[in-house]
Amino acid sequence: MIKKGNLYFPGKEFKKKALVKSAAIYKEAAKNPIRFWEKLAKGLFWYKKWKKVFSHQPPYFHWFSGGKINITADIFEENRAGWENVKNRVALIWEPEPLEGRERVFTYYQLLREVNRFANALLKLGVKKGDRVGIYLPMIPEVIVSMLACARIGAVHSVVFSAFSPNALRIRLQDTEAKVLITADGYYRRGKVINLKKQADEGVKGTKVRKMVVVKRAANKVEMKKGRDLWWSDIIEKESEKMQPRIMDAEDVLFILYTSGSTGKPKGTVHACGGYTVQAYWTTRWIFDLKPDDIFWSTADIGWITGHTYSCYGPLLNGASFIMFEGAPDWPSPDRWAQVIEKYGVTTFYTAPTAVRMFEKYGKKYLKKHKLDTLQILASVGEPIDAAAWHWYFKNVGKERCPLLDTWWQTETGGILITSLPGIGPFKPTFTGLPFPGTRFDILDEKGKSCPPGKQGSLVLLPPFAPGLLRGVYKNPEKYKKTYWSQYGERIYFTSDSAYKDRRGLIRIVGRMDDVIKVAGHRITTGELESAVNTHPEITESAVVGKKDEIKGEVPVVFVVYKGNKASEVVKKEVVLQVRKQIGPIALPKEVYLVEDLPKTRSGKIMRRILKKLLTGEKDLGDTSTLANPETIKKIKAVIKR
Ligand code: WT7
């Protein structure tokens, strides 16, 4: 990499081989973004061409209407790299958590046969086009087979992160009304077997699930309910390896993926077949500069959008080889991830700042044992990557050789929308870079005026948005309108992020403007955590705020108004348990404070902003004129000090 001031540019050698190397692409795209995306769409296989590229009835919009597509045809038989080239190429390499375990490798052809067998089995179970199928699976190849099998027959998959609690699973299954759930007996996490089936049994109570397909992974003892539960291996046994993909409309739903909602009820983001496919293919190709001999590893769990787009669909559409890792990156030792990179000769490594900071804390000594010289590109996602983590990653992992992409996007956007491209740059620590060609972002002030460089405002996406942007919130049009299309009207997509740009137009993301906190990159709302805490019978009220954390970026801190007479240590433990039960272990509170009252406005709104300042010990509490109970401030201060 070449350094110029505080910017980095790709070196000559890298540039020469890069798929995109000329900044002219930005100009070309900006001239006519709709035509630009149309050109990109032509790079994929369609059964029938679209009638209209982009249509807009705010706040709704469509891409490639009238076009007919199936994402699995673009992955397999009609892969743009040529089926004859791709067929016997490695698609997926699965690395199990236990070191003594055996890896599983699937070529494209093998994967296709597995997908077809399972797709045929799903049809036998009565799954039809448009039906929602729940997938509650850990990081094992069957999760990919399940998603692709759904896509193959036109069923809508809804993957639920395997570390979510039964309660979180239930809420999602109730919302989608899925009749079939795919799960596993168990999986390995930090040397232990997690009994996933037991959690699934609990989670399907009160839902419409009538068939549960169970993958045998950990051979732990599970109960199979007669008439409802089926072993995966049994139902695929006699199924044919052949089947034709169902031809889908571009605007048919491909999947629903839930993200944290403001009140405790998660939002089901709806993604469409055509636009998602186009965006997944091209963003993966250009951003990761994927070539046939690359080994791509995105560490994100399949339960998140990063897992969907970059640990499944994106690499597959590109005919690439990618890694799926079952376990925790620092198990059984802190160098496990480096071991995996070395073992498979990973060329492209995509992870989250929280992981980078964790590796940094373990220290460079763990890297010394491993050769990381196959790496070509590093990338980061999920939250702002601070300068220290950026430099550590760039220096010690990429050896100042590899472009470091800071990729910005959201569950809603379906694919990466802001990042510098590896063959062009520039890369500037803490800045995510430029909007992907064909997308138009702006940063607006409160009045909706465009902010000049250096001035912070709301990050928005302007028409024609992006083909992969969500088409709705499942069964909740009101929420869709209110969350994304109300701040600046129905023609401007509001990201909820605050940002500013520099003179070159590089964007720096500052953080969320809403009540979302990012815990180790996981998105969770304070409202969701509060409603979990409030299910405690002796807690009348609670408020959650995010607190800065060295490794996780942010951690939740809970203030509770407790009316029972248990010892405070007991209550604190119960609060943590409550979150684990209602949501899962991803966002356990770091601290719990028992208080008499919470700071509120006259209309009864909790002023979390004040709590946040009290936590950091800030003297200036900002505008407190609307505070109805100023006497609480002193008391809460005392509790925090204790
Ligand atoms: C929010 C979306 C889709 C990727 C996984 C997260 C934050 C995401 C960055 C980045 C700064 C980032 C934003 C965004 N975010 N990437 N590179 N720099 N912030 O998806 O869980 O839907 O969260 O993550 O705040 O709005 P998500």
Side-chain angles (χ1 to χ4, degrees):
M1 299 284 286
I2 301 165
K3 188 165 192 256
K4 285 186 197 155
N6 55 357
L7 301 177
Y8 295 83
F9 291 88
K12 251 203 190 126
E13 281 306 300
F14 188 97
K15 216 176 163 99
K16 221 162 68 192
K17 286 188 272 175
L19 292 172
V20 188
K21 44 194 141 208
S22 162
I25 194 152
Y26 290 105
K27 269 208 185 123
E28 187 209 327
K31 247 192 266 157
N32 189 337
I34 296 174
R35 194 166 313 144
F36 180 77
W37 282 109
E38 176 168 41
K39 204 170 122 189
L40 295 191
K42 284 181 185 158
L44 284 145
F45 167 77
W46 297 78
Y47 294 97
K48 200 175 141 205
K49 214 187 137 194
W50 48 89
K51 288 204 180 85
K52 191 142 199 240
V53 189
F54 176 75
S55 47
H56 197 185
Q57 298 94 37
Y60 295 97
F61 61 91
H62 303 288
W63 281 91
F64 314 118
S65 294
K68 305 276 183 195
I69 195 167
N70 185 299
I71 195 165
T72 70
D74 278 284
I75 288 170
F76 298 115
E77 303 94 325
E78 303 291 344
N79 192 296
R80 291 293 90 177
W83 183 231
E84 65 289 358
N85 300 321
V86 163
K87 194 171 171 182
N88 288 312
R89 203 183 272 173
V90 168
L92 168 65
I93 302 171
W94 177 72
E95 168 81 1
E97 187 189 82
L99 285 170
E100 63 281 8
R102 270 262 207 95
E103 61 270 22
R104 292 167 71 189
V105 180
F106 295 79
T107 64
Y108 275 80
Y109 189 41
Q110 287 169 325
L111 190 60
L112 169 63
R113 278 157 30 210
E114 293 303 318
V115 168
N116 282 344
R117 289 169 81 188
F118 191 60
N120 281 319
L122 284 178
L123 289 177
K124 284 242 171 82
L125 291 181
V127 178
K128 293 191 191 61
K129 181 187 165 186
D131 286 353
R132 279 80 53 218
V133 174
I135 300 179
Y136 187 49
L137 281 172
M139 291 290 272
I140 56 176
E142 285 78 3
V143 72
I144 301 235
V145 175
S146 301
M147 289 161 74
L148 296 181
C150 287
R152 191 93 174 152
I153 63 173
V156 174
H157 61 68
S158 173
V159 180
V160 179
F161 180 39
S162 58
F164 270 141
S165 70
N167 192 64
L169 171 65
R170 182 179 314 115
I171 294 170
R172 287 158 178 79
L173 289 174
Q174 282 170 342
D175 200 53
T176 57
E177 299 176 83
K179 295 188 207 86
V180 173
L181 179 71
I182 307 162
T183 189
D185 54 354
Y187 63 97
Y188 289 85
R189 191 75 184 171
R190 300 191 169 276
K192 276 196 302 212
V193 171
I194 310 283
N195 189 332
L196 191 66
K197 174 67 165 64
K198 201 170 147 203
Q199 284 175 221
D201 286 340
E202 191 57 37
V204 297
K205 285 182 189 159
T207 71
K208 295 196 171 153
V209 171
R210 52 172 178 72
K211 291 285 173 210
M212 208 194 282
V213 181
V214 187
V215 180
K216 202 172 270 172
R217 156 65 188 124
N220 51 316
K221 238 185 115 184
V222 298
E223 263 173 55
M224 296 292 277
K225 191 170 165 188
K226 248 194 138 167
R228 186 195 68 184
D229 299 351
L230 304 156
W231 288 109
W232 171 291
S233 51
D234 290 345
I235 63 166
I236 63 163
E237 205 185 337
K238 295 207 177 77
E239 289 304 334
S240 162
E241 293 177 346
K242 291 207 171 105
M243 84 126 33
Q244 290 304 314
R246 171 101 191 203
I247 297 174
M248 304 293 285
D249 282 319
E251 284 291 315
D252 278 338
V253 178
L254 176 61
F255 66 85
I256 300 169
L257 182 62
Y258 285 84
T259 184
S260 216
S262 51
T263 51
K265 197 174 175 289
K267 299 192 287 269
T269 65
V270 176
H271 290 274
C273 290
Y276 177 83
T277 304
V278 172
Q279 195 177 305
Y281 174 70
W282 285 102
T283 55
T284 308
R285 190 171 173 78
W286 283 353
I287 294 167
F288 299 108
D289 198 39
L290 269 194
K291 308 207 184 74
D293 47 359
D294 280 333
I295 303 287
F296 182 74
W297 184 19
S298 160
T299 62
D301 192 280
I302 201 83
W304 310 104
I305 191 73
T306 312
H308 281 53
T309 309
Y310 301 107
S311 311
C312 178
Y313 288 117
L316 287 169
L317 286 165
N318 278 280
S321 308
F322 67 103
I323 310 273
M324 172 184 248
F325 175 47
E326 181 185 36
D330 59 342
W331 181 268
S333 53
D335 61 340
R336 182 65 189 274
W337 65 286
Q339 231 174 61
V340 174
I341 292 176
E342 183 177 18
K343 179 173 176 185
Y344 298 109
V346 169
T347 58
T348 320
F349 184 59
Y350 191 25
T351 195
T354 181
V356 174
R357 289 189 295 259
M358 183 179 78
F359 302 141
E360 181 184 356
K361 196 150 190 208
Y362 283 132
K364 286 193 287 226
K365 61 177 185 285
Y366 288 103
L367 297 176
K368 291 231 169 77
K369 293 195 271 176
H370 303 282
K371 282 207 191 76
L372 303 178
D373 54 353
T374 52
L375 288 169
Q376 298 286 333
I377 289 182
L378 303 177
S380 165
V381 63
E383 51 171 316
I385 179 162
D386 52 280
W390 197 99
H391 286 288
W392 189 87
Y393 194 22
F394 182 68
K395 249 197 206 122
N396 298 298
V397 183
K399 310 280 193 257
E400 301 187 12
R401 225 177 8 86
C402 307
L404 199 178
L405 317 173
D406 179 1
T407 66
W408 177 93
W409 57 301
Q410 309 177 301
T411 305
E412 290 86 345
T413 68
I416 299 167
L417 289 187
I418 307 179
T419 185
S420 293
L421 294 173
I424 302 174
F427 308 98
K428 181 173 174 180
T430 73
F431 281 72
T432 70
L434 294 174
F436 192 79
T439 59
R440 295 165 60 220
F441 280 90
D442 203 352
I443 293 165
L444 303 180
D445 68 10
E446 276 151 29
K447 292 194 183 109
K449 243 186 75 201
S450 196
C451 294
K455 187 167 183 253
Q456 197 174 319
S458 326
L459 181 71
V460 297
L461 179 58
L462 305 174
F465 317 114
L469 189 66
L470 83 165
R471 299 299 195 266
V473 172
Y474 193 59
K475 293 201 297 205
N476 202 340
E478 282 313 310
K479 190 114 227 173
Y480 172 73
K481 271 186 217 165
K482 192 167 160 240
T483 314
Y484 309 109
W485 309 99
S486 64
Q487 288 72 9
Y488 295 104
E490 294 198 332
R491 292 176 173 272
I492 295 182
Y493 172 83
F494 177 63
T495 65
S496 295
D497 275 336
S498 123
Y500 63 88
K501 57 184 177 225
D502 71 3
R503 281 178 203 291
R504 292 174 157 264
L506 300 177
I507 294 174
R508 178 178 184 157
I509 308 292
V510 178
R512 297 284 303 198
M513 303 170 81
D514 55 4
D515 54 0
V516 163
I517 54 178
K518 278 277 181 158
V519 187
H522 297 143
R523 171 168 162 184
I524 189 124
T525 56
T526 53
E528 197 175 2
L529 285 164
E530 285 159 10
S531 63
V533 172
N534 293 348
T535 51
H536 187 295
E538 285 152 343
I539 286 173
T540 47
E541 246 184 341
S542 66
V544 173
V545 294
K547 187 183 171 191
K548 242 187 143 96
D549 182 85
E550 211 186 314
I551 303 283
K552 294 185 171 177
E554 259 183 311
V555 285
V557 171
V558 190
F559 293 85
V560 298
V561 179
Y562 174 69
K563 291 288 176 226
N565 41 29
K566 288 181 200 149
S568 69
E569 283 318 303
V570 177
V571 180
K572 286 178 186 178
K573 281 203 185 113
E574 285 176 355
V575 167
V576 175
L577 190 71
Q578 207 68 25
V579 173
R580 184 182 282 277
K581 250 182 30 201
Q582 300 285 324
I583 299 170
I586 56 161
L588 298 181
K590 176 98 172 190
E591 283 149 25
V592 180
Y593 295 111
L594 272 55
V595 295
E596 263 175 49
D597 202 2
L598 296 165
K600 279 186 195 154
T601 62
R602 264 171 262 278
S603 58
K605 259 203 178 133
I606 298 170
M607 297 180 81
R608 295 185 189 77
R609 170 171 66 81
I610 290 184
L611 290 171
K612 219 171 160 152
K613 294 200 165 168
L614 290 175
L615 263 185
T616 52
E618 233 173 282
K619 292 234 162 57
D620 178 14
L621 295 181
D623 179 14
T624 52
S625 60
T626 54
L627 190 61
N629 50 353
E631 69 285 356
T632 52
I633 301 287
K634 243 199 193 143
K635 292 185 187 162
I636 295 174
K637 258 192 196 161
V639 173
I640 294 174
K641 267 217 185 109
R642 235 186 276 149

